[in-house]
Amino acid sequence: MRVLSIICALGCFMLCSKGLGAALDRYELYPTKNIWTFLKLDTETGKLQHVQFSIKPEQPRLEYVLSEIDIPALTGKPHVPGRYKLYPTQNQWNFLLLDKIDGEVFQVQWGESCMVIPIRPGVAAGKSTDEKPNEKPKAEDD
């Protein structure tokens, strides 16, 4: 009976740890240039939250939603823990959100307003999709 209990406990541990491994990759904290603020990313959905902490008891500690957009649900992509990662830019209010599976990139702006904007490949302002970003536009014949 004791051997059976040990086998059952070991089996439960193995099953639980497989699910736990994926859960451990679900959330990431990213520092900002504001020393009291982090961005919390749900790496499975792309959802973002603002996390603020303090060392003074009278100062607020809070967490609030920046983006509730579940990108895989919106686009029909599979939910995979670790799918999304944030990268800081030189502008403290902007990060780039990378889909590590298919390479899609989003601009994330946080601060007074928050936006998550897809960055479309191959399209620069004022250029058609068949032009390369660094290529001069072709002159039209008169």
Side-chain angles (χ1 to χ4, degrees):
M1 184 69 167
R2 184 176 173 137
V3 173
L4 183 57
S5 296
I6 292 172
I7 291 172
C8 288
L10 182 60
C12 179
F13 172 76
M14 291 174 68
L15 287 173
C16 293
S17 65
K18 284 183 182 178
L20 184 60
L24 291 176
D25 292 333
R26 179 81 188 257
Y27 296 97
E28 294 283 339
L29 284 174
Y30 294 88
T32 67
K33 291 182 181 173
N34 177 332
I35 64 170
W36 308 111
T37 302
F38 281 76
L39 298 182
K40 183 170 94 173
L41 172 66
D42 180 335
T43 67
E44 183 174 309
T45 65
K47 293 180 181 182
L48 290 160
Q49 296 194 13
H50 174 276
V51 179
Q52 180 179 317
F53 70 98
S54 174
I55 59 171
K56 297 181 180 178
E58 69 277 4
Q59 301 241 325
R61 290 160 184 79
L62 51 97
E63 185 173 330
Y64 62 86
V65 174
L66 290 176
S67 172
E68 290 187 297
I69 300 169
D70 183 336
I71 299 169
L74 191 65
T75 59
K77 297 176 183 179
H79 285 86
V80 179
R83 180 175 195 127
Y84 296 99
K85 183 172 182 177
L86 278 176
Y87 292 89
T89 67
Q90 294 299 314
N91 179 322
Q92 72 174 347
W93 307 110
N94 286 273
F95 281 73
L96 295 178
L97 177 67
L98 174 67
D99 181 332
K100 295 186 332 182
I101 294 175
D102 67 15
E104 188 172 18
V105 180
F106 299 84
Q107 177 184 345
V108 174
Q109 183 176 335
W110 70 281
E112 288 187 28
S113 63
C114 182
M115 297 183 289
V116 178
I117 306 164
I119 297 176
R120 301 289 177 218
V123 180
K127 297 189 180 214
S128 68
T129 56
D130 58 340
E131 293 174 1
K132 295 185 174 92
N134 293 325
E135 184 179 276
K136 291 182 182 178
K138 295 177 184 174
E140 292 184 25
D141 294 332
D142 290 311

